[in-house]
Amino acid sequence: MKQRTIRQRVELTGIGLHKGVPVTLVLEPLEANSGIVFYRSDLGVSIPLVPESIIDTTMATVIGKDNAKVSTIEHLMSAVYAYGIDNLKISINNEEIPIMDGSSIAHCLLLDEAGIVEFDVPRKLIEIKKPIEVRDGDKFVRLEPSQKTIFDFSIDFAHPAIKEQHYTFTFSKTAYIDEIAKARTFGFLQEVNYLRSIGLAKGGNLNNCIVLDESGIMNKEGLRYPEEFVRHKILDAIGDMAILGIPLLGSYISFAGSHKLNSLLTQKLLHEEGAYEVVTASESQKVLEFEKAVAIS
């Protein structure tokens, strides 16, 4: 397993979900060991993808530095993580990543267009060595040691279209595209006015979000998956875990997790002694098994 970047520069233009303004997203290759860097081209400010860069988790994961911020990074980072990309420059000319259709499939297609290049440099992983958990009442997010990378998520909404949903996703790029990438973000009609009053959801509509009224789903085309709501939660969780900068070897388990809890989980993981070990394939049989399971192409 080697470090990766993209083969060529690519871009797309869309609107932000929360601010509702046009923004152009540009992806460019970086050399090995560069990591993932966000760049506000309109402000000339670079923001590294590290847990310390997170400045807000209200309805989205937001990173920032100095006078610059980049909002709603989780869908793009979910796709970047799934494609095994370690080194990448992500430039935008406004403060929010384009929402596209509310899932990460457009970002996957953009990465397909960009292509992948491998360096002759080993890729590292964070191997979870002991359970780590963050709770907020009944809600929790947890990491546990595992031979495979698994995302196990449960939700329970008092809404007839959602109710209780559970999904277990064993990570691989192919499975991600088939099972997770097309799952859209969702919201409740009665919350829209409140969100817009605090400057959020201005770009949300039926083309980029599953919208629910009191009785059901307002989108005429219906759902893409039977459990699309919880699958989108997994999509978000993968993007939030990508803030660590290198992939996880372990199980992520959650009930009603959120961007806030995910951020607290990454911070706790990095600061708790003995919670993890950074390993390469040459150092761990588990990582060799991870390579076989992921089979990134």
Side-chain angles (χ1 to χ4, degrees), residues 7-289:
R7 184 176 301 278
Q8 62 180 352
R9 178 187 185 276
V10 289
E11 70 174 72
L12 60 75
T13 299
I15 63 167
L17 173 64
H18 291 300
K19 297 301 179 181
V21 296
V23 58
T24 297
L25 167 72
V26 178
L27 306 182
E28 297 176 272
L30 286 180
E31 293 299 316
N33 297 316
S34 297
I36 294 173
V37 179
F38 285 80
Y39 180 67
R40 281 290 300 272
S41 57
D42 54 326
L43 300 176
V45 177
S46 295
I47 307 170
L49 185 74
V50 293
E52 293 78 14
S53 293
I54 296 177
I55 60 171
D56 192 11
T57 52
T58 304
M59 304 298 294
T61 296
V62 184
I63 58 174
K65 178 184 175 184
D66 301 330
N67 64 328
K69 66 180 180 179
V70 179
S71 178
T72 321
I73 69 170
E74 58 271 12
H75 298 175
L76 171 61
M77 286 313 308
S78 188
V80 169
Y81 186 102
Y83 276 63
I85 297 169
D86 312 277
N87 308 283
L88 185 67
K89 182 179 180 181
I90 301 169
S91 300
I92 58 172
N93 60 355
N94 214 305
E95 69 176 57
E96 191 173 12
I97 302 295
I99 189 61
M100 308 313 290
D101 73 344
S103 73
S104 66
I105 193 63
H107 304 308
C108 292
L109 294 173
L110 189 65
L111 293 171
D112 287 335
E113 179 185 346
I116 304 296
V117 174
E118 283 194 349
F119 298 105
D120 191 21
V121 178
R123 194 181 197 209
K124 296 180 179 180
L125 293 89
I126 291 182
E127 182 178 343
I128 305 303
K129 305 300 287 186
K130 68 177 186 180
I132 298 290
E133 182 178 272
V134 176
R135 300 190 73 95
D136 178 12
D138 292 337
K139 302 174 182 179
F140 71 85
V141 290
R142 181 166 65 242
L143 293 171
E144 295 181 353
S146 174
Q147 296 285 344
K148 299 179 180 180
T149 296
I150 296 169
F151 289 83
D152 185 285
F153 214 116
S154 299
I155 58 175
D156 186 2
F157 282 83
H159 190 282
I162 306 178
K163 301 180 182 179
E164 294 183 24
Q165 291 192 3
H166 171 258
Y167 199 78
T168 301
F169 171 65
T170 301
F171 180 82
S172 76
K173 176 188 171 184
T174 300
Y176 178 86
I177 294 170
D178 290 343
E179 301 176 30
I180 303 297
K182 299 179 184 70
R184 295 161 292 175
T185 193
F186 60 94
F188 299 92
L189 185 61
Q190 62 266 34
E191 295 178 351
V192 171
N193 289 337
Y194 167 71
L195 290 173
R196 289 180 175 171
S197 74
I198 60 173
L200 299 175
K202 292 182 177 179
N205 58 59
L206 293 173
N207 294 320
N208 58 33
C209 181
I210 303 171
V211 180
L212 300 108
D213 59 18
E214 293 182 358
S215 60
I217 298 164
M218 298 181 66
N219 306 66
K220 292 182 179 179
E221 73 275 17
L223 297 176
R224 296 175 177 177
Y225 306 104
E227 323 88 345
E228 187 166 357
F229 302 100
V230 73
R231 293 196 199 202
H232 184 80
K233 288 290 190 179
I234 291 175
L235 187 157
D236 279 347
I238 293 170
D240 285 344
M241 291 299 103
I243 197 79
L244 291 166
I246 58 178
L248 286 171
L249 180 54
S251 290
Y252 169 99
I253 304 165
S254 177
F255 172 72
S258 63
H259 298 303
K260 179 180 179 180
L261 289 180
N262 288 337
S263 176
L264 293 173
L265 182 65
T266 58
Q267 294 176 44
K268 184 174 183 178
L269 172 68
L270 295 179
H271 289 94
E272 186 155 335
E273 186 175 356
Y276 73 96
E277 181 181 359
V278 177
V279 294
T280 65
S282 61
E283 299 169 335
S284 172
Q285 181 63 32
K286 286 184 179 180
V287 179
L288 289 171
E289 294 301 318

